[in-house]
Amino acid sequence: MSSPLESQPSSTLLLREVLAYAGATGPDLLDEALAEALSEVSVARCRVYVLVDLARPVDDPPVAGALVEVGQPVRDARLRALAVALPHRGRGLGRRLLGDLLTEMRADGVQRVRYRVAAADPGTFSLLGSAGFVAADRTPIAACRYDGPAIEALAVAWLVREL
């Protein structure tokens, strides 16, 4: 049985920016990432984008969302989070969200986007790689080998994409 989203043409999906503040309506997918971002940077530097399905009722939650921290100057941006609602995963919506988001950021004058991905998150690494992101560097968080694989899984890579 197909869900209502599967039966809708992709043209009913729309990326929109919503207010970025803790407890904001809509970006529930991003609550944890947004709270962390707001503890580190000004709300003026945070942008929340949601992918909504226009064929669904207006009060339905978004199907996906992204949190972006814009730099000073705005030419650089950090993609802090990408999320697809659980019932909508596996349908290419993460790829759609990322494509629409990169188009929006390019239109806003952003020239470079970066994302910090953990080695333990191969899905995100693969998605971003397929969208043209490349590894800028790889920085293990610890040089010691107390827990070998556990420590290695915490290594991070900065992925970068020029727009």
Side-chain angles (χ1 to χ4, degrees), residues 33-118:
L34 182 57
E36 180 182 330
L38 292 176
S39 73
E40 296 173 7
V41 298
S42 159
V43 68
R45 291 184 53 194
C46 293
R47 295 182 183 172
V48 174
Y49 296 90
V50 294
L51 191 62
V52 295
D53 186 354
L54 298 176
R56 299 174 67 99
V58 71
D59 58 348
D60 271 12
V63 297
L67 173 61
V68 176
E69 175 188 332
V70 292
Q72 302 281 19
V74 82
R75 290 186 307 265
D76 293 321
R78 176 182 175 192
L79 179 57
R80 283 186 161 259
L82 281 172
V84 176
L86 200 54
H88 304 293
R89 291 185 183 165
R91 300 185 185 132
L93 294 175
R95 189 168 314 284
R96 168 69 186 265
L97 170 66
L98 184 57
D100 288 0
L101 183 62
L102 293 174
T103 299
E104 179 73 19
M105 288 194 289
R106 186 180 304 111
D108 285 348
V110 172
Q111 295 174 352
R112 184 176 73 157
V113 180
R114 55 195 172 89
Y115 184 84
R116 193 174 100 189
V117 64

